[in-house]
């Protein structure tokens, strides 16, 4: 029998991974345009402050992921699509900028996955309470 992480453990993972994503996003300096550019600083500040549960930030983080995909594809055609779909931790890259963006993609995916696991747990707990 396996035990699932507690809701608190999942929330902790979301907070930690959100903070890591925000810090690396600031360091990486992706050139974004349009509405994403004006929205991500506030989202990153909230994430860095340990507040990753704001519903308004979910769409912004998704847009940031899309901007990251575009930036990766600009460095190496098709790599952004692959990097957001697959594990690229073991890729050997000789371009320092591409490696920097690849690292950000891995942190982004980890945050996205932690947030999804947490949301799934909350949904499951609500369903169990409703059925019980």
């Amino acid at each position: 029998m396996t035990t699932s992480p507690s809701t608190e453990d999942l929330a902790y993972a979301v907070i930690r991974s959100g903070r890591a994503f925000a810090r690396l996003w600031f360091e990486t300096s992706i050139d974004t345009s349009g509405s994403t550019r004006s929205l991500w600083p506030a989202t990153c500040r909230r994430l860095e402050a340990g507040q990753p549960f704001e519903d308004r930030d979910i769409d912004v983080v998704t847009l940031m992921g899309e901007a990251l995909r575009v930036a990766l594809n600009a460095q190496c055609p098709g790599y952004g699509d692959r990097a957001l779909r697959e594990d690229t931790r073991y890729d050997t890259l000789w371009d320092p900028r591409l490696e920097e963006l690849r690292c950000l993609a891995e942190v982004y995916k980890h945050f996205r996955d932690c947030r999804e696991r947490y949301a799934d747990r909350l949904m499951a707990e609500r369903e169990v309470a409703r059925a019980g």
Side-chain angles (χ1 to χ4, degrees):
M1 180 173 138
T2 61
T3 48
S4 298
S6 69
T7 304
E8 293 82 8
D9 289 340
L10 293 171
Y12 178 74
V14 174
I15 292 166
R16 297 286 300 162
S17 62
R19 184 173 284 132
F21 172 63
R23 287 179 179 160
L24 197 53
W25 179 271
F26 278 130
E27 290 173 16
T28 306
S29 302
I30 292 179
D31 184 23
T32 57
S33 60
S35 61
T36 306
R37 185 169 188 76
S38 65
L39 297 173
W40 70 257
T43 293
C44 281
R45 281 191 297 277
R46 281 189 290 277
L47 293 176
E48 203 166 28
Q51 301 168 355
F53 304 107
E54 298 278 337
D55 287 337
R56 63 185 166 181
D57 292 332
I58 294 171
D59 291 336
V60 176
V61 169
T62 301
L63 290 171
M64 292 166 74
E66 177 60 18
L68 174 57
R69 186 189 68 76
V70 168
L72 279 159
N73 281 339
Q75 285 294 126
C76 180
Y79 192 74
D81 299 315
R82 182 175 163 274
L84 291 184
R85 245 189 357 258
E86 300 172 17
D87 182 356
T88 60
R89 288 177 294 172
Y90 304 107
D91 289 4
T92 302
L93 304 173
W94 304 108
D95 179 334
R97 179 63 175 163
L98 187 59
E99 175 61 15
E100 181 180 45
L101 293 170
R102 185 204 61 75
C103 287
L104 179 59
E106 289 302 319
V107 171
Y108 165 76
K109 291 185 300 188
H110 182 69
F111 173 54
R112 179 191 64 194
D113 294 347
C114 285
R115 186 129 164 71
E116 188 174 280
R117 280 192 299 277
Y118 176 75
D120 289 349
R121 169 60 61 83
L122 293 181
M123 178 82 66
E125 288 175 356
R126 280 192 295 270
E127 286 301 309
V128 167
R130 188 177 66 83

